Amino acid sequence: MHIDDLASRSGEWLRGVGPQSDIVMSSRIRLARNLADFPFIRRCNDIDRANIDSTVRERLSKDEILKDLTFIDVATLANLDRQFLVERQLISREHANSDGARAVAIDGEEQCSLMVNEEDHLRIQVMKSGFDLDGAWDHINDLDDRIESQLTYAFHEKMGYLTACPTNVGTGMRVSVLVHLPALVITNQIERVFRSLQKINLAVRGLYGEGTQAMGDFYQISNQITLGKSEKDLINQVGEVVPVVIDYERKARKFLIEEDQNELFDQVSRAYGMLQTARRISSEETMYLLSRVRMGINLGLIGDLQIPKINELFIQTQPAHLQKIRQAPLSTDERNVERANFLHQHLKVSDN
Amino acid sequence: MKCQKCNKSATFHITDLTGDGVLALHLCSDCAKHYLQPETESIEAPEITGVLSQQLKLEQTAEDLQTLDARECPICGISFYEFRQAGRLGCPHDYVFFGDELEPLLVSVHGSNEHTGKHPVRGAYDAQSQTELIRLRSEMKQAVSREDYEKAQSIRDQIRAIEGHRRQSPNEPS
Ligand SMILES: [Zn+2]
Ligand SMILES: [Zn+2]
């Protein structure tokens, strides 16, 4: 598998299938783990980091499932390729931008990614399309067991899995569900939803970790606490609140339709038209318009487009993806023109 | 023209420089105000360094803090001062070595200081050989940088012995 092969595909979390996939894009779980016999990353020198990297590769090659993972050396990767992996959520922005020996191992479906030498020695991540936390947990729990049978984790009887930052200690687990909430944004209810989630110790971030001005109306809901509750409890905490948020979003959509269906139809159609006809367009504006169109498809206001197609456009119009697809480095201005071309091609009226 | 965020008429036309070029926004006055002054309230997890400095302010005199700051982990060498500045620990042993300071921190961040979740299937290294390996590796680094290769060699043999023992008996309870 080569990085360039990924560009034409959408990856697991954009497949647009699975439970509640009109509102829930993906379910993701990550586990932070450290090797028992190395200092944490902050106190590692180059030799330690290289040692961790090679130890992990060597040991994982002994497991019959883990041996099929593809290791990508992030340290020697071109800037554009690193950015590309960030856009696909296979590595974190921090992992892309840090220094020293580091890697990521991914599977062919892009469901699982294993960052080596991020803030912790290992960050294991599993993503599933739609609302499927149980599926994600079964998968990652098995991966974790397999890795643990090859490597010894830093673990303390009382404090659990030991992590570089005390905010991750215990389970080392972050559960997050990526939801699309355009109607709550339009009806100005999003802040209220955020505040109620914060009160029960859940965090809300944008698609790429930004704050309340999230791109494309995508939000990640995740747990804050990692210690004192079991993995199942933490999953349930997020798992119980997501259906409530879904219900709010559905009610807001219903409200928009009942209040003024023509107005909503107008907004959605204009967004669709802009995407089809623009000659230059920024990625922010694209996300904003795609979000409206996505909601329009889900509400039956647009009939000639499918959700997986829209999901694909969300990722393929990101800056690094656009450049990978065009196989050329592009300036911001050039990207805005290329992006408009790309959208024009893929949303042509004659296509249907 | 209608506001892009709600249905009112747009009276503000904002152009904003973003990472990806110029963004044109057409907003009503309410949405514009919100856009220009985003919520200051943080939605992020409490920064560990902030929680820690508050805890220390309440519990320590300046003198105590100075003594505490100077304490260094015997395994990885990180000082308490470095930890509270960076918010990141240096090695697994720090959880024990700085245990008295970490315990209230864990309680205020997580509401608990006791893990109730998953355990590794195999036994872990016993605590001593775990830290011993980290300590030996750092000693070996120092020996190499002094160009004392004889010493480095003997340390490497010790490391191999500990690792070898572990590998031969992977399921031995610790
Ligand atoms: Zn408005
Ligand atoms: Zn230490």
Side-chain angles (χ1 to χ4, degrees):
Chain A
M1 181 172 56
H2 192 264
I3 283 193
D4 290 357
D5 302 337
L6 301 177
S8 58
R9 296 187 281 152
S10 65
E12 171 69 14
W13 61 282
L14 291 161
R15 270 170 57 220
V17 297
Q20 317 275 12
S21 57
D22 56 333
I23 291 172
V24 182
M25 297 287 281
S26 64
S27 305
R28 173 161 69 149
I29 299 181
R30 78 101 165 103
L31 297 174
R33 296 288 187 256
N34 286 279
L35 308 191
D37 46 353
F38 286 90
F40 293 145
I41 292 295
R42 189 177 173 79
R43 301 296 286 187
C44 281
N45 63 7
D46 292 347
I47 298 165
D48 290 325
R49 291 178 72 122
N51 247 328
I52 292 166
D53 187 291
S54 61
T55 306
V56 170
R57 287 184 201 226
E58 190 240 328
R59 300 288 177 85
L60 298 200
S61 69
K62 292 176 182 158
D63 180 274
E64 59 185 284
I65 300 276
L66 302 173
K67 73 173 168 31
D68 292 332
L69 296 175
T70 304
F71 271 87
I72 298 170
D73 189 352
V74 176
T76 58
L77 215 52
N79 247 328
L80 180 63
D81 287 332
R82 293 208 284 256
Q83 190 53 40
F84 174 79
L85 294 176
V86 173
E87 288 174 3
R88 294 184 87 77
Q89 303 210 319
L90 293 171
I91 65 173
S92 64
R93 204 173 288 281
E94 294 71 34
H95 200 50
N97 298 336
S98 75
D99 294 306
R102 61 200 191 281
V104 63
I106 55 180
D107 69 335
E109 279 92 45
E110 294 179 64
Q111 291 196 3
C112 120
S113 89
L114 177 75
M115 283 186 274
V116 184
N117 291 340
E118 210 248 22
E119 182 184 299
D120 294 294
H121 298 153
L122 295 174
R123 286 279 174 100
I124 316 163
Q125 170 183 282
V126 164
M127 281 191 281
K128 298 282 177 193
S129 188
F131 186 33
D132 184 16
L133 287 174
D134 290 336
W137 169 246
D138 289 344
H139 190 168
I140 202 166
N141 192 29
D142 177 60
L143 289 175
D144 186 45
D145 288 346
R146 285 174 183 281
I147 296 168
E148 195 258 322
S149 73
Q150 302 297 333
L151 293 159
T152 306
Y153 287 150
F155 183 85
H156 185 277
E157 268 311 308
K158 187 177 171 200
M159 287 175 277
Y161 295 92
L162 303 179
T163 52
C165 182
T167 51
N168 297 317
V169 76
T171 57
M173 185 167 82
R174 198 75 62 199
V175 179
S176 55
V177 176
L178 181 65
V179 286
H180 185 224
L181 306 175
L184 287 175
V185 173
I186 293 174
T187 56
N188 282 322
Q189 299 179 80
I190 198 84
E191 298 277 342
R192 201 166 50 86
V193 174
F194 284 0
R195 274 194 287 273
S196 59
L197 293 179
Q198 282 165 252
K199 277 187 202 131
I200 53 168
N201 275 319
L202 295 178
V204 185
R205 292 183 190 82
L207 174 52
Y208 294 110
E210 68 274 29
T212 46
Q213 292 286 328
M215 289 212 291
D217 308 319
F218 290 112
Y219 295 93
Q220 304 186 59
I221 300 172
S222 55
N223 63 306
Q224 301 254 40
I225 286 170
T226 57
L227 180 65
K229 285 188 159 69
S230 72
E231 287 81 1
K232 285 279 180 202
D233 287 344
L234 292 172
I235 289 168
N236 287 341
Q237 197 195 8
V238 176
E240 279 165 13
V241 93
V242 168
V244 179
V245 175
I246 293 174
D247 191 48
Y248 284 153
E249 171 66 17
R250 288 202 205 289
K251 284 198 176 116
R253 290 180 184 190
K254 195 155 167 265
F255 169 82
L256 287 174
I257 287 202
E258 281 170 2
E259 197 198 31
D260 196 343
Q261 169 149 14
N262 288 335
E263 168 63 34
L264 187 65
F265 192 30
D266 177 64
Q267 277 195 28
V268 167
S269 304
R270 278 168 188 271
Y272 194 15
M274 291 264 271
L275 290 167
Q276 286 172 317
T277 57
R279 285 288 153 224
R280 53 173 56 196
I281 190 165
S282 71
S283 107
E284 281 80 2
E285 191 179 2
T286 305
M287 296 278 278
Y288 170 81
L289 297 170
L290 283 173
S291 171
R292 291 294 133 95
V293 171
R294 192 177 189 279
M295 178 174 66
I297 298 170
N298 284 328
L299 292 175
L301 300 172
I302 294 177
D304 60 357
L305 255 184
Q306 302 297 318
I307 288 293
K309 179 76 194 170
I310 281 289
N311 288 356
E312 239 167 63
L313 293 177
F314 270 111
I315 188 97
Q316 290 174 343
T317 55
Q318 297 290 321
H321 272 74
L322 209 55
Q323 295 173 75
K324 291 298 278 184
I325 291 165
R326 286 290 177 253
Q327 301 195 312
L330 303 169
S331 69
T332 303
D333 265 355
E334 290 169 332
R335 284 207 296 275
N336 291 346
V337 173
E338 273 304 324
R339 185 175 292 114
N341 282 339
F342 186 84
L343 288 165
H344 181 68
Q345 268 173 31
H346 284 81
L347 296 173
K348 256 192 297 207
V349 184
S350 59
D351 268 349
N352 310 295
Chain B
M1 184 177 267
K2 292 243 159 122
C3 170
Q4 289 176 349
K5 306 238 165 189
C6 68
N7 283 330
K8 285 177 261 175
S9 71
T11 49
F12 281 77
H13 305 281
I14 303 167
T15 48
D16 211 355
L17 272 178
T18 67
D20 199 40
V22 180
L23 171 69
L25 281 169
H26 310 288
L27 302 174
C28 71
S29 56
D30 287 348
C31 295
K33 186 176 159 221
H34 183 79
Y35 180 78
L36 297 169
Q37 297 178 307
E39 289 278 291
T40 44
E41 192 186 338
S42 167
I43 59 158
E44 296 290 313
E47 265 295 318
I48 195 82
T49 49
V51 180
L52 190 57
S53 78
Q54 235 174 358
Q55 172 192 315
L56 292 170
K57 231 180 279 168
L58 291 175
E59 292 172 3
Q60 308 272 342
T61 66
E63 241 168 65
D64 287 346
L65 187 57
Q66 221 169 20
T67 320
L68 180 59
D69 273 348
R71 284 191 73 204
E72 281 180 5
C73 166
I75 306 299
C76 72
I78 196 173
S79 68
F80 189 76
Y81 179 77
E82 186 184 339
F83 162 59
R84 70 182 181 90
Q85 289 299 306
R88 300 290 180 276
L89 293 162
C91 81
H93 183 64
D94 300 351
Y95 278 96
V96 177
F97 188 72
F98 299 123
D100 290 347
E101 288 70 37
L102 278 172
E103 205 154 298
L105 179 70
L106 294 178
V107 170
S108 73
V109 170
H110 299 281
S112 165
N113 58 5
E114 228 164 307
H115 178 57
T116 57
K118 189 175 175 178
H119 277 61
V121 180
R122 302 186 309 164
Y125 283 112
D126 58 281
Q128 201 177 347
S129 60
Q130 205 171 110
T131 54
E132 186 69 359
L133 280 170
I134 299 174
R135 197 183 57 75
L136 286 170
R137 282 212 184 85
S138 104
E139 256 180 41
M140 186 166 79
K141 276 182 255 172
Q142 284 161 18
V144 170
S145 67
R146 294 195 302 272
E147 298 185 11
D148 184 350
Y149 298 112
E150 205 172 314
K151 176 82 178 162
Q153 177 90 43
S154 96
I155 298 172
R156 199 187 55 189
D157 292 344
Q158 289 181 58
I159 293 174
R160 293 234 167 114
I162 296 176
E163 285 178 340
H165 175 72
R166 174 97 182 35
R167 219 164 294 165
Q168 278 155 19
S169 51
N171 294 312
E172 199 179 72
S174 57

